[in-house]
Amino acid sequence: MNPDLNSINNVFAKMDSNDWGISGDLKWGFFFFSSEKGYLDQIFLELKEHSYVVENIYQNENHEWILQVSKIEVLEHEKLYRRCLAFNQLAETYNAYFDGWDVGNSV
């Protein structure tokens, strides 16, 4: 994933204009892809130390493994941008691909 701070800023502005409560806890999801489930297991072992939980791990129709992790927290746009950069590096370390993020209410 090529994170773009301007795009992230635009998403945050839209969320704020729709009363998402961006200054409070939200549930942030992050997605990793790999041809080997074991690589995703290694990624999760690192993320688990930072209070991430597994939402889903499955194999898609293209036989790629997908790991979705989440964390409930307050996350500012600059921090999300830096996290995406770090997740790109983490994925590369384990022959995986960081595919992006999503966000939802924390309840």
Side-chain angles (χ1 to χ4, degrees), residues 24-40:
D25 282 339
L26 294 171
K27 185 175 185 178
W28 296 92
F30 301 93
F31 301 85
F32 296 86
F33 284 64
S34 179
S35 61
E36 302 280 335
K37 182 180 180 287
Y39 293 138
L40 298 179

Side-chain angles (χ1 to χ4, degrees), residues 7-95:
S7 294
I8 290 172
N9 287 339
N10 290 337
V11 170
F12 271 74
K14 190 173 192 173
M15 289 168 57
D16 191 34
S17 71
N18 289 319
D19 297 325
W20 266 68
I22 61 173
S23 61
D25 282 339
L26 294 171
K27 185 175 185 178
W28 296 92
F30 301 93
F31 301 85
F32 296 86
F33 284 64
S34 179
S35 61
E36 302 280 335
K37 182 180 180 287
Y39 293 138
L40 298 179
D41 292 337
Q42 292 298 314
I43 289 171
F44 179 66
L45 284 177
E46 291 202 28
L47 296 177
K48 183 178 177 181
E49 296 174 11
H50 301 281
S51 302
Y52 287 88
V53 296
V54 171
E55 291 292 329
N56 204 352
I57 188 164
Y58 63 95
Q59 196 170 28
N60 68 13
E61 65 278 353
N62 295 326
H63 305 288
E64 295 173 303
W65 285 94
I66 301 169
L67 168 66
Q68 178 188 6
V69 297
S70 69
K71 185 175 183 179
I72 295 174
E73 64 181 320
V74 175
L75 194 57
E76 295 179 1
H77 47 98
E78 292 93 358
K79 189 172 181 179
L80 176 60
Y81 174 74
R82 289 190 307 273
R83 185 163 301 168
C84 289
L85 294 173
F87 282 177
N88 278 334
Q89 291 177 342
L90 177 63
E92 189 175 305
T93 299
Y94 292 105
N95 297 312

